[in-house]
Amino acid sequence: MKIKCIAIDDEPLALEKIKNYISKVSFLELVKTFSNGIETIDYLRENKVDLMFLDIQMEELTGIQLLEVLTNKPKVIFTTAYDSFALKGYDLDVADYLLKPISFDRFLQAVNKIYISRNSEQKETKVIKKETTTAPTLQPEVQENFMFVKTEYRMQKVMFEEVLYIEGMKDYLRIITKNEKIMTLQNFQGMLDMLPQDNYIRIHKSYIIAINKIDHIDRGHVIIGKERIPIGESYKQLFFEYLKKRKLI
């Protein structure tokens, strides 16, 4: 069964790109598009969809405001030109966060995740219906404690627990661990996709940090070991909201 989706964006060219990408994916069905959030609310009162591609920065009603007023939310993939909203997306439990300009392979990665999750939920439902005398035993999803990053001519294993912070270096990222510095040809969004979202957060256009490695927070900076890392102005509010949500401050 196809995943029924809608797309909301006040930029015609961006909306057209999403429509084009959806048309290339066999398991997606685009049922409607919108240029603003108000029309979307009216439509969702009467119609059920599985997935919503939602721009954040729109006039009258932002994508975040739209999500906050919806009661029965479909799965949501944010589409935006501003990566400073990533943490807010995490708070709202969105499925993914696509940074414009969106490449087709990144789009495909996001919708594949929805497809796999949906199939898994349907299988679990069937198991529960079939097992009437005993509760079904469902295998939990395995959460790895490491990742592989491409460095020089090899894929290097990096343990999450050893990562202190990650620094942008032009076309590269430099991963600072307890014992070494690893250079990798990777972008920030791709790195955030690999890292566990409950402990790693971007606090500056050039830095991702490990929350549990912070020693001090002082005057617009976090201190990790001997490193004093700035908190960017566009990231500051979301950073402290995240700490409050986790009851860390």
Side-chain angles (χ1 to χ4, degrees):
M1 186 178 294
K2 289 193 174 185
I3 296 173
K4 292 184 178 182
C5 51
I6 59 174
I8 306 97
D9 200 310
D10 60 355
E11 297 178 12
L13 291 178
L15 195 57
E16 193 61 36
K17 174 174 276 192
I18 290 294
K19 288 169 61 177
N20 181 43
Y21 283 176
I22 291 173
S23 69
K24 295 179 180 180
V25 181
S26 61
F27 57 80
L28 294 181
E29 178 187 353
L30 181 64
V31 294
K32 201 165 181 64
T33 62
F34 302 92
S35 60
N36 65 75
I38 296 173
E39 292 178 0
T40 308
I41 294 173
D42 293 336
Y43 180 82
L44 290 177
R45 285 196 187 105
E46 305 294 332
N47 301 273
K48 185 178 184 303
V49 298
D50 304 308
L51 175 61
M52 177 165 59
F53 295 94
L54 179 60
D55 183 30
I56 294 180
Q57 291 292 82
M58 296 186 293
E59 295 184 2
E60 295 184 345
L61 193 70
T62 69
I64 289 173
Q65 290 169 334
L66 169 61
L67 274 190
E68 289 175 337
V69 300
L70 289 178
T71 52
N72 297 319
K73 301 180 183 69
K75 296 286 187 182
V76 177
I77 295 177
F78 270 153
T79 61
T80 180
Y82 302 92
D83 59 2
S84 58
F85 290 104
L87 180 58
K88 188 63 176 177
Y90 173 72
D91 288 343
L92 293 169
D93 195 29
V94 302
D96 211 333
Y97 183 98
L98 299 180
L99 191 62
K100 297 176 182 178
I102 303 165
S103 64
F104 181 65
D105 61 332
R106 181 67 184 88
F107 174 88
L108 195 57
Q109 178 186 342
V111 297
N112 272 334
K113 185 162 57 174
I114 299 290
Y115 180 76
I116 292 169
S117 173
R118 188 166 182 254
N119 282 351
S120 176
E121 289 172 1
Q122 289 174 346
K123 288 177 182 178
E124 289 180 7
T125 301
K126 289 178 181 178
V127 170
I128 292 170
K129 288 180 178 179
K130 184 177 179 181
E131 297 288 345
T132 56
T133 57
T134 58
T137 302
L138 301 177
Q139 295 297 323
E141 182 180 350
V142 176
Q143 178 64 56
E144 303 294 355
N145 59 356
F146 62 89
M147 62 182 173
F148 288 100
V149 297
K150 187 174 182 180
T151 176
E152 297 178 339
Y153 301 104
R154 67 182 186 276
M155 298 295 288
Q156 182 164 341
K157 184 177 183 179
V158 179
M159 304 300 295
F160 293 137
E161 178 57 29
E162 295 181 359
V163 177
L164 303 177
Y165 63 91
I166 298 164
E167 181 181 6
M169 306 284 289
K170 292 186 177 179
D171 295 331
Y172 291 82
L173 295 181
R174 184 170 65 169
I175 303 170
I176 310 299
T177 74
K178 294 177 180 178
N179 302 311
E180 60 182 330
K181 299 177 182 178
I182 303 165
M183 298 292 290
T184 180
L185 185 60
Q186 175 69 279
N187 59 45
F188 275 105
Q189 187 57 50
M191 181 61 65
L192 285 168
D193 288 340
M194 291 192 292
L195 293 165
Q197 294 183 3
D198 61 348
N199 189 48
Y200 295 87
I201 180 173
R202 191 172 184 182
I203 64 164
H204 187 276
K205 66 179 182 179
S206 299
Y207 289 96
I208 296 170
I209 64 165
I211 295 292
N212 65 350
K213 299 300 191 298
I214 298 174
D215 295 312
H216 308 284
I217 302 174
D218 176 39
R219 298 180 183 178
H221 291 76
V222 299
I223 291 83
I224 298 178
K226 296 181 180 180
E227 191 69 23
R228 188 176 174 86
I229 301 170
I231 305 171
E233 283 299 321
S234 60
Y235 296 84
K236 185 175 293 184
Q237 180 179 349
L238 292 176
F239 172 59
F240 285 104
E241 283 180 1
Y242 175 85
L243 295 180
K244 288 178 182 177
K245 184 179 178 66
R246 293 281 305 278
K247 294 182 170 54
L248 298 176
I249 57 174

